Amino acid sequence: MQNSISRQHIYLISASLFLLIFVLIFAFAILIPEGKEYRIKRIDLKKMSKKLREYQNFHNETFDTLKTLQGKNRRIITAFDMTFNPERFEKENKSYFSQLSVSALDFSGVEGSFAVYEVNTTSQISSPKSFYNFLDAVNKSDWVIAVNFPINFKRDGELIMSSFTMKVYCNNKDKNSSASLSEAK
């Protein structure tokens, strides 16, 4: 018996066998190892995506809190940026006193990140109520001012002489205190 396989069939079988071997080598050499790396990277990506969402949520919550606080405290934030003007202070608060004088503005240094100025004030008032009205006005003014104790009241006939020290806080735009001192002069 003679084998009657044609040459075309031999070429086709050998080509099919070559392609089968090529596919098996390709699958075991490239696809399977890359698939394992892909699964590992996919798991890492999911972990990183979860962390990113957590950080994004934290950022959004913090940003919302910041915007809420900025909205509530807008007046205070702008007050820290204002530079103190003694003439304007006298003009705005003269109505609470019979006489008001603000002594020279002294730069007393840097506390934290704020420049601090000490202001000595002498005034004459007719009643303590006008002084309390003045304190309310200071709370609503364009500056951040702390009235220091003791507040000295001394009766002089019908009028009351008062003297007190105030600290005016401003944003320290220049961290160097010597530069801030030169600005204050």
Side-chain angles (χ1 to χ4, degrees):
M1 269 227 251
Q2 192 180 17
N3 216 351
S4 66
I5 300 178
S6 70
R7 214 178 238 200
Q8 289 177 339
H9 282 101
I10 293 176
Y11 288 142
L12 187 61
I13 291 174
S14 62
S16 298
L17 188 60
F18 175 74
L19 286 176
L20 178 66
I21 292 172
F22 176 76
V23 167
L24 290 175
I25 292 173
F26 180 75
F28 287 110
I30 296 175
L31 288 180
I32 293 175
E34 291 294 324
K36 288 179 183 178
E37 283 184 42
Y38 169 76
R39 280 185 240 118
I40 292 169
K41 288 181 180 180
R42 187 178 66 190
I43 291 170
D44 288 344
L45 178 66
K46 285 182 180 180
K47 288 178 185 176
M48 293 175 89
S49 296
K50 182 180 177 184
K51 279 187 181 181
L52 176 65
R53 276 193 308 274
E54 289 173 2
Y55 287 132
Q56 190 68 36
N57 290 338
F58 177 73
H59 172 268
N60 292 341
E61 290 172 9
T62 306
F63 187 73
D64 291 342
T65 304
L66 172 69
K67 287 301 176 188
T68 303
L69 290 174
Q70 282 179 338
K72 287 180 181 177
N73 301 311
R74 182 164 309 283
R75 188 186 63 77
I76 295 169
I77 292 169
T78 56
F80 274 122
D81 289 334
M82 296 290 291
T83 55
F84 184 69
N85 184 347
E87 293 84 23
R88 184 173 161 222
F89 177 80
E90 284 183 27
K91 185 179 177 184
E92 286 181 1
N93 297 301
K94 204 148 188 107
S95 63
Y96 299 104
F97 302 101
S98 303
Q99 178 185 349
L100 174 66
S101 64
V102 177
S103 70
L105 189 67
D106 296 326
F107 179 73
S108 67
V110 176
E111 290 181 12
S113 60
F114 300 107
V116 180
Y117 301 93
E118 284 197 23
V119 180
N120 291 321
T121 308
T122 307
S123 59
Q124 288 183 345
I125 54 176
S126 56
S127 74
K129 184 177 182 190
S130 63
F131 184 77
Y132 292 121
N133 290 339
F134 161 73
L135 289 178
D136 286 338
V138 164
N139 282 338
K140 296 175 185 173
S141 70
D142 290 341
W143 304 289
V144 177
I145 297 175
V147 177
N148 295 338
F149 292 97
I151 300 171
N152 297 318
F153 291 106
K154 186 171 150 186
R155 187 122 183 113
D156 185 24
E158 290 290 319
L159 297 175
I160 301 171
M161 295 289 291
S162 65
S163 65
F164 53 92
T165 305
M166 300 184 309
K167 280 190 175 181
V168 181
Y169 293 90
C170 301
N171 241 353
N172 188 16
K173 293 177 177 61
D174 187 11
K175 297 286 183 188
N176 188 352
S177 62
S178 62
S180 297
L181 180 61
S182 66
E183 286 179 20
K185 290 182 180 180

